[in-house]
Amino acid sequence: ALETERSSLQFLFNGGVDYFDQKNTLFFPPELQFEPVDGEPGSSLLSNSDNLNLNLDGNAVHAFRGAGYTATTSAGIQYARRNLDVSRIVSKNLIAGQQNVNAGTNVQVRQNRQLVNNLGFYVQEEVLTLDDRLLLTAGVRADQSSLNADASKLFWYPKAAASYRFNLAPSATVSAFKVRAA
């Protein structure tokens, strides 16, 4: 979005959608070798599945190059949603010749529905200085999820880190060594 000699500003957006819809209709006639084993010959299965996964990310990154240092500030928001709905009907001990799930004497109905919404925010500052040897990082992230007991509550996660890179002799087998604490 902006580029000058000493600073830059970028806006980054990323998103994805994955959707599937599946229907299964299965019939196992009583004559199949494995069918009489459970004492309820003949099985019919009807299954319907829908699944939607959605991810959206938006980030802003500002870098400033000063005399002997670079400061990078980033902030962003992330949203993810998963909506799953699976329903199954299993019917056993079918009336002779019937394939419908309502033609059995032992009918089981199951449904699995899951709706998950996740939302997160973050802000972070990085300073690189001392000839690109010292890196200082501080940030905070806040998350909320429909899986939490209080779906509207934000949970805060602060972070801090520092690292220092030691340059060794160019003729050494290892040319640099870095120490990091977080």
Side-chain angles (χ1 to χ4, degrees), residues 78-82 116-120 143-147:
Q78 298 170 321
Y79 175 73
R81 177 183 178 103
R82 181 181 75 222
V116 179
N117 288 306
N118 295 318
L119 182 62
D143 287 313
Q144 69 181 164
S145 175
S146 61
L147 295 175

Side-chain angles (χ1 to χ4, degrees), residues 2-160:
L2 173 69
E3 184 75 40
T4 68
E5 185 179 313
R6 297 188 70 174
S7 70
S8 65
L9 176 63
Q10 296 180 16
F11 294 105
L12 308 164
F13 299 98
N14 189 11
V17 176
D18 180 26
Y19 175 77
F20 78 81
D21 179 29
Q22 180 176 341
K23 180 178 180 179
N24 297 319
T25 305
L26 304 170
F27 172 61
F28 305 100
E31 298 82 28
L32 288 176
Q33 179 183 3
F34 63 85
E35 267 304 314
V37 173
D38 63 4
E40 297 179 301
S43 298
S44 184
L45 171 95
L46 176 62
S47 176
N48 292 300
S49 304
D50 289 275
N51 188 58
L52 172 66
N53 292 317
L54 172 69
N55 324 9
L56 300 170
D57 296 330
N59 302 283
V61 180
H62 179 259
F64 179 79
R65 291 169 290 287
Y69 73 94
T70 301
T72 304
T73 305
S74 56
I77 183 170
Q78 298 170 321
Y79 175 73
R81 177 183 178 103
R82 181 181 75 222
N83 190 355
L84 174 68
D85 187 1
V86 179
S87 56
R88 288 190 179 105
I89 303 172
V90 178
S91 180
K92 295 183 176 186
N93 202 27
L94 297 173
I95 299 170
Q98 296 295 311
Q99 297 184 18
N100 294 344
V101 291
N102 64 338
T105 60
N106 181 357
V107 179
Q108 300 170 2
V109 179
R110 295 185 185 116
Q111 185 174 25
N112 178 13
R113 292 176 26 179
Q114 299 174 11
L115 176 60
V116 179
N117 288 306
N118 295 318
L119 182 62
F121 309 91
Y122 80 94
V123 64
Q124 176 173 294
E125 182 68 29
E126 291 182 348
V127 177
L128 182 61
T129 188
L130 299 179
D131 294 325
D132 294 344
R133 292 181 302 183
L134 177 63
L135 177 63
L136 303 170
T137 304
V140 65
R141 180 176 175 89
D143 287 313
Q144 69 181 164
S145 175
S146 61
L147 295 175
N148 294 335
D150 183 353
S152 64
K153 183 178 179 182
L154 283 171
F155 291 88
W156 296 89
Y157 304 95
K159 72 175 184 174

